Amino acid sequence: MKKTNIIALVAWMCLSLSAMAQGTISGRVYDSKSGQAVEYATVAVLNPKDSSLVTGTVSDERGAFTVKVNNGRYIVRVSFIGYTPYLHPTAVVVNEKNPKVNLGRIELTPGAVMMDEVVVTAERTLVEYQLDKRVVNVDKNLVAGGGTATEVLQNVPSVAVDNDGNVTLRGSSNVKVLINGRPYELMGNDLETLLEQIPASSVESVEVITNPSAKYDPEGMSGIINIKLKEQTSMAQGLNGVVSLNAGAPLPFLFPDNMPQFIPTATGSINLNYTTEKYNLFFSADGGMRQRGHYGTSYRERLHDGQAWSRDTADQFGIRGGMMGSMKIGGEYYFDKQNSLLLSYQLRGGQRLRRNYMDSRDLLDDDILLDYIQTDTNNNNNINHAFNLSYRKKFDEPDREFTLDATYTFRHMQGNGRQEQIYQGDAQWDNYYLRTTETENHHKALNLKMNYVHPFATTWKLETGYEGRMDWPDQKALYFRTEYDSLHNLYEYPDESSNTHFNYNQQVHAAYATVGGKLTEKLSAQAGLRVEYSYLLGYDVNHPQTDSVKKDYWEPYPTLHLSYEINKANSMQLSYSRRVRRPRMWDLNPYMEVREGQELSFGNPNLDPEFTNAFEFSYNLSLEKWNFYTCAYYRQTNKMMTRYGFVWDSASRDRFSWWMPYNDEYYGYWASTWQNLSRGYNYGLELIVDWQVLKWWKLNVSVNLYESTIEGTDLLDNKTTSAFQASGKFSSFMNLPKDWTIQLSGQYFAPWLDLQTTMMSSMWVDLAVKKDVLQRRGTINLRIGDVFATGGWGHTTHTDQLNRVVRSRRLSPTVTIGFTYKINNGLKQRQQRDQSDDDEQSETIY
């Protein structure tokens, strides 16, 4: 698409469309006995359907308050320390005919007993449904207590996390994960390590955006998962904070005999802030150790011309985890009611240790039995610095706003690995294998975003901006081999074919615009266009003969959202977006990585991005005690990226022109790399049900049913694979007398397959109990993960070169106990300014 056409289209959209009808609720708060105005009274505006918090504010020195709301029905609740909370006797209705509602004089009656503190908070539901996303409130999810962000995502409807930390959304691994709206790469580490380094207590909510608007990065076929961390801000002035401690370990009575009997986990966090009328200062720190284990068996049969030439079986167990810690300090200064500036610095680091032990028996085609023990150890130390600047400018006109965000990160990682195979009997002299690795990574990144919201005189608004992301990673890896010589002496030499120094530069610059408003009384629309310029250059300094990576292209990403409100209880949405999945640096780097179980992996410098057209139709029904959400979706992906596996030999190697001279040291290993397939399809149906069974009992159930079809290329003999897949989750919350809360949750994933591998089914159940103590200033949590020890995974592979079956089970049940204490008021949502920000981020169409 030409630039002039893009500019013309955006200009037409700006002139044609605009924003949402809003109103205000105001009033004054007085002491019923003295008649004096009550300053800093808390005003909460609640949703009448589920009493969830919509927005709020506090009264000024005259007792007056004004809060902006969208058109609708609300419950208004006013409270202050030492007074009986006031609940407005009728629902407050704001609409076009009555945009400004004045509640007049509100009198608070002093309580019979002056309490130390009265804090009025509206209880949020587990899942909140908005036009373009679902918001899962983590403070309602007890089973994540004492865990990390990994456990948080495992309990989010539509989301799954496997044992290797791979995140999927609706069964697709092509999902973009953000941390506070920014790519997780900016915080350093791979995704698995980062999720393990974020305590669950630091997560406030998870946003699941399955068909994002043009404002968001189009990366990820199945959508976006945005993990929102808690802000260190409060409504009350002075010092506030929360301290949390957790410790736990798997129960050892189900362990195999050769497993360690104690694998502990311990985490702690502290969040503090000090607030005045002009500024807010915040500090947070967390850290601890996190470990988890698994054990399993594998069977592998390697084939030549349809005949098996090698069979091996193995018993294995592994432990992964390590130390983690982070510190964040910063502040926000309010120049006036319209201008504020926030500065922050975060230091995050840790040590990640991974150990695997495998006892293998390999029967060759000449009936030679090789019995060996393989151990794999990887130890990585990393440190990440992140600097953030955020400026916000509000205008006199409601909803008109400009924001600027800039984040610079620098990451340094050093690691070492060791893979050793010790053979039994006479074979040890001819087959001893030891491979060591030294790695060092430097990764600099800069992320810039400018966003401007402009409401028009009608019911429409324009949102436009720029987003740029620049990455400069530099990755080095040195490999060494150790063998016995003819005199049975050990000697070491470098493995030149695998050594790599990959220099990489990627830049993505985007301009976007969305416009939305009402077409009719019931029909609303939002249209958007994002235009991106992408540039990347990567090459291996150690192997100049290999292909370098160089790409330079423009791409448009249109979006469209339609919403129709049948009545107050029924609504429908239809949406479309074009999305992209870009290869990562590791997918493009052709260096050879040797893994446990005699496996190889390397990247493909010729790999291209894949592009997806995504369509969704959803329907939401809200009843008194029920909420039904269902969504039908269809995705078509071109140039689909997938892993392709084969047995490493000279014939297989010739398929890949970018690879260096053949290395026969790894003859017979199972190798894998990335390939672009011709096309893939995915369509399905998702259902989420919220049920208020009783006043004290809530139930959430989600089911996802979908069909996947993948078309292969000539490389795979044009093979096409289709499979029906299913998954389901449930969460049960019971609020019992005397401040007891119990949550029971479970998950099930049916078997699923891709072109070469079939994944086995998995299921587990978690239990959590919470008790508030010390006048609700403290909380004790007890969590039992995988109560029935059913959590596991596995896969089977059947090709003309390999038959393989792998089964593994995690060490469980795990028991974790934790304690949380609130300092003063604890940490709460920021005042009205931040609540309005959340509303704007939801990109609701009016």
Side-chain angles (χ1 to χ4, degrees):
M1 181 180 291
K2 295 182 178 180
K3 296 181 182 179
T4 54
N5 294 337
I6 295 172
I7 295 173
L9 176 59
V10 173
W12 176 84
M13 295 165 69
C14 296
L15 293 173
S16 305
L17 306 170
S18 56
M20 168 182 190
Q22 284 193 334
T24 60
I25 300 175
S26 60
R28 289 199 173 188
V29 185
Y30 297 91
D31 185 303
S32 63
K33 291 188 176 182
S34 67
Q36 297 294 319
V38 178
E39 186 179 5
Y40 296 119
T42 302
V43 181
V45 179
L46 313 178
N47 188 328
K49 294 180 181 179
D50 54 14
S51 296
S52 61
L53 181 65
V54 176
T55 187
T57 187
V58 293
S59 58
D60 60 20
E61 66 277 3
R62 299 172 299 144
F65 68 87
T66 300
V67 57
K68 292 189 299 183
V69 295
N70 300 329
N71 289 350
R73 295 169 58 88
Y74 302 100
I75 295 174
V76 177
R77 193 173 188 179
V78 183
S79 60
F80 191 67
I81 298 173
Y83 290 86
T84 301
Y86 167 86
L87 190 67
H88 195 66
T90 60
V92 177
V93 179
V94 179
N95 53 36
E96 290 84 351
K97 297 180 180 180
N98 191 25
K100 297 182 179 180
V101 178
N102 191 331
L103 302 183
R105 185 184 182 94
I106 296 175
E107 295 186 345
L108 295 182
T109 303
V113 178
M114 294 296 290
M115 296 179 291
D116 293 335
E117 176 184 21
V118 175
V119 179
V120 178
T121 58
E123 182 179 0
R124 297 184 294 176
T125 59
L126 173 65
V127 183
E128 298 177 12
Y129 301 92
Q130 300 178 10
L131 175 66
D132 62 344
K133 63 186 174 184
R134 301 192 302 275
V135 181
V136 180
N137 297 305
V138 176
D139 58 354
K140 294 293 297 177
N141 197 336
L142 303 183
V143 296
T148 65
T150 300
E151 281 79 14
V152 171
L153 291 184
Q154 286 175 338
N155 287 277
V156 172
S158 309
V159 178
V161 184
D162 66 17
N163 189 67
D164 294 322
N166 300 309
V167 178
T168 59
L169 176 60
R170 289 177 174 170
S172 172
S173 60
N174 186 359
V175 56
K176 185 67 173 180
V177 178
L178 306 177
I179 308 294
N180 280 344
R182 299 180 179 90
Y184 74 85
E185 297 92 339
L186 296 182
M187 298 185 69
N189 303 320
D190 58 277
L191 181 58
E192 177 194 4
T193 302
L194 180 59
L195 294 178
E196 290 293 327
Q197 290 184 349
I198 299 177
S201 59
S202 298
V203 181
E204 179 172 338
S205 63
V206 177
E207 297 176 344
V208 179
I209 312 171
T210 54
N211 219 8
S213 71
K215 177 181 178 179
Y216 293 94
D217 186 342
E219 179 83 21
M221 179 186 74
S222 58
I224 296 173
I225 299 173
N226 183 27
I227 302 173
K228 297 189 68 175
L229 304 182
K230 293 178 179 178
E231 293 286 350
Q232 289 74 26
T233 53
S234 75
M235 292 180 68
Q237 294 190 10
L239 179 66
N240 298 273
V242 174
V243 178
S244 179
L245 298 172
N246 297 276
L251 298 177
F253 56 82
L254 294 177
F255 289 11
D257 293 337
N258 54 0
M259 285 293 295
Q261 294 301 295
F262 184 60
I263 305 177
T265 293
T267 61
S269 66
I270 180 171
N271 295 267
L272 300 172
N273 77 282
Y274 184 81
T275 304
T276 70
E277 293 182 356
K278 293 296 294 182
Y279 61 85
N280 175 71
L281 303 177
F282 54 85
F283 170 83
S284 66
D286 58 67
M289 60 180 297
R290 171 73 173 168
Q291 296 189 90
R292 51 183 175 153
H294 68 277
Y295 62 95
T297 61
S298 65
Y299 169 78
R300 179 176 54 191
E301 181 182 64
R302 288 173 284 190
L303 308 172
H304 272 316
D305 298 324
Q307 300 297 319
W309 63 274
S310 173
R311 299 182 180 89
D312 66 78
T313 59
D315 300 317
Q316 55 186 332
F317 71 83
I319 298 174
R320 62 182 61 187
M323 309 295 291
M324 58 187 183
S326 73
M327 179 274 294
K328 186 175 183 179
I329 186 170
E332 184 170 16
Y333 184 77
Y334 312 117
F335 298 97
D336 49 44
K337 292 184 178 180
Q338 295 180 321
N339 295 273
S340 65
L341 181 68
L342 183 146
L343 296 172
S344 69
Y345 164 72
Q346 183 178 48
L347 174 66
R348 181 179 296 276
Q351 179 187 51
R352 181 187 180 195
L353 179 64
R354 177 176 176 178
R355 291 173 292 170
N356 282 282
Y357 172 93
M358 181 169 61
D359 187 354
S360 181
R361 295 156 298 281
D362 193 349
L363 179 63
L364 304 180
D365 55 359
D366 51 5
D367 293 331
I368 297 177
L369 178 64
L370 296 179
D371 190 359
Y372 65 91
I373 295 175
Q374 177 172 316
T375 58
D376 294 88
T377 303
N378 289 278
N379 186 10
N380 293 321
N381 297 287
N382 64 85
I383 188 168
N384 186 77
H385 306 270
F387 303 87
N388 176 248
L389 179 148
S390 296
Y391 169 73
R392 176 177 285 109
K393 166 68 175 179
K394 292 192 173 185
F395 298 85
D396 293 334
E397 186 177 359
D399 295 330
R400 186 183 174 194
E401 184 181 75
F402 171 78
T403 57
L404 170 65
D405 288 284
T407 301
Y408 174 78
T409 62
F410 175 74
R411 171 197 178 195
H412 180 220
M413 187 276 285
Q414 286 183 308
N416 58 76
R418 177 185 175 93
Q419 184 178 97
E420 183 179 32
Q421 293 175 359
I422 301 177
Y423 288 76
Q424 308 299 311
D426 294 337
Q428 71 179 89
W429 306 115
D430 297 326
N431 295 280
Y432 176 79
Y433 176 91
L434 173 62
R435 191 173 194 263
T436 57
T437 312
E438 297 177 5
T439 58
E440 183 175 8
N441 296 337
H442 296 271
H443 190 166
K444 295 181 292 184
L446 176 64
N447 200 57
L448 300 174
K449 187 168 186 177
M450 293 184 292
N451 191 75
Y452 174 67
V453 181
H454 186 89
F456 293 95
T458 60
T459 60
W460 291 75
K461 72 175 178 181
L462 164 72
E463 186 166 9
T464 187
Y466 159 82
E467 184 173 11
R469 178 183 170 190
M470 291 134 278
D471 291 276
W472 300 278
D474 186 85
Q475 181 260 338
K476 300 177 183 179
L478 299 177
Y479 295 87
F480 302 89
R481 285 287 304 272
T482 301
E483 295 179 350
Y484 283 105
D485 60 16
S486 59
L487 299 178
H488 296 168
N489 296 315
L490 289 173
Y491 69 99
E492 182 184 75
Y493 61 92
D495 187 352
E496 298 291 349
S497 64
S498 297
N499 291 347
T500 182
H501 178 187
F502 200 66
N503 192 290
Y504 192 69
N505 177 8
Q506 176 174 286
Q507 299 186 34
V508 180
H509 301 275
Y512 62 87
T514 63
V515 286
K518 279 198 169 186
L519 297 173
T520 67
E521 180 69 22
K522 295 181 177 293
L523 180 62
S524 303
Q526 183 190 75
L529 178 64
R530 185 184 184 99
V531 180
E532 287 191 350
Y533 169 72
S534 298
Y535 167 84
L536 61 90
L537 174 65
Y539 57 92
D540 193 327
V541 177
N542 289 358
H543 303 101
Q545 72 273 26
T546 61
D547 292 349
S548 61
V549 182
K550 187 173 183 179
K551 298 182 186 297
D552 181 358
Y553 55 90
W554 288 84
E555 286 291 338
Y557 299 96
T559 64
L560 177 66
H561 290 73
L562 298 174
S563 177
Y564 184 77
E565 185 181 86
I566 303 173
N567 52 45
K568 292 297 182 182
N570 293 267
S571 62
M572 297 183 297
Q573 291 84 34
L574 178 66
S575 61
Y576 162 78
S577 68
R578 184 174 188 257
R579 307 197 54 72
V580 64
R581 181 186 184 187
R582 305 181 187 95
R584 299 168 300 175
M585 180 185 71
W586 295 101
D587 305 331
L588 299 167
N589 188 353
Y591 95 100
M592 178 185 291
E593 179 185 2
V594 182
R595 300 178 175 178
E596 62 267 18
Q598 296 186 345
E599 294 192 3
L600 307 175
S601 176
F602 53 91
N604 177 359
N606 300 321
L607 193 65
D608 291 323
E610 66 179 30
F611 298 94
T612 298
N613 293 302
F615 301 84
E616 287 192 9
F617 174 76
S618 61
Y619 170 75
N620 194 74
L621 172 63
S622 296
L623 302 177
E624 183 179 358
K625 293 185 178 182
W626 296 80
N627 190 91
F628 295 91
Y629 171 85
T630 183
C631 179
Y633 56 91
Y634 173 80
R635 299 189 293 252
Q636 176 187 315
T637 303
N638 298 316
K639 292 187 176 181
M640 188 173 184
M641 294 165 47
T642 192
R643 296 291 295 184
Y644 168 70
F646 57 95
V647 170
W648 181 252
D649 55 27
S650 58
S652 298
R653 175 254 168 238
D654 291 339
R655 302 185 184 192
F656 309 105
S657 60
W658 68 84
W659 189 245
M660 57 199 65
Y662 172 68
N663 186 341
D664 63 359
E665 293 180 359
Y666 305 111
Y667 175 79
Y669 279 37
W670 181 251
S672 63
T673 188
W674 286 98
Q675 290 287 329
N676 287 111
L677 301 182
S678 58
R679 187 173 297 175
Y681 306 93
N682 186 293
Y683 56 92
L685 181 68
E686 185 175 35
L687 174 65
I688 302 177
V689 179
D690 291 293
W691 180 22
Q692 187 74 46
V693 185
L694 298 170
K695 185 177 180 180
W696 50 272
W697 183 16
K698 292 182 180 180
L699 190 65
N700 176 274
V701 179
S702 63
V703 178
N704 186 32
L705 309 173
Y706 57 102
E707 181 88 8
S708 295
T709 300
I710 304 175
E711 296 179 354
T713 60
D714 293 339
L715 183 67
L716 297 175
D717 300 321
N718 295 312
K719 179 182 177 181
T720 298
T721 301
S722 295
F724 174 78
Q725 303 173 37
S727 62
K729 296 185 178 185
F730 79 89
S731 294
S732 173
F733 298 88
M734 290 167 279
N735 296 313
L736 304 179
K738 298 185 178 180
D739 297 324
W740 285 89
T741 305
I742 299 177
Q743 179 185 349
L744 185 69
S745 66
Q747 305 185 50
Y748 171 76
F749 298 93
W752 60 275
L753 57 88
D754 60 19
L755 280 176
Q756 294 181 305
T757 302
T758 300
M759 305 301 296
M760 299 178 183
S761 63
S762 60
M763 62 177 296
W764 63 89
V765 174
D766 298 328
L767 173 66
V769 180
K770 182 184 79 170
K771 176 69 169 71
D772 291 332
V773 297
L774 303 177
Q775 297 181 336
R776 298 188 178 181
R777 291 179 179 268
T779 301
I780 298 175
N781 293 279
L782 174 66
R783 174 179 178 266
I784 303 177
D786 194 9
V787 177
F788 303 108
T790 58
W793 63 96
H795 62 268
T796 61
T797 302
H798 298 291
T799 73
D800 57 358
Q801 293 183 314
L802 178 74
N803 291 321
R804 179 176 58 182
V805 180
V806 177
R807 290 185 174 88
S808 190
R809 188 170 300 281
R810 58 186 177 185
L811 298 181
S812 56
T814 58
V815 177
T816 304
I817 187 167
F819 176 73
T820 300
Y821 183 77
K822 299 176 183 178
I823 302 173
N824 292 332
N825 289 328
L827 299 179
K828 305 180 182 65
Q829 293 291 333
R830 194 178 295 181
Q831 296 185 21
Q832 181 182 352
R833 69 166 68 221
D834 282 345
Q835 182 59 49
S836 64
D837 294 341
D838 292 340
D839 294 339
E840 289 167 3
Q841 288 294 326
S842 68
E843 298 199 27
T844 305
I845 299 173
Y846 306 105

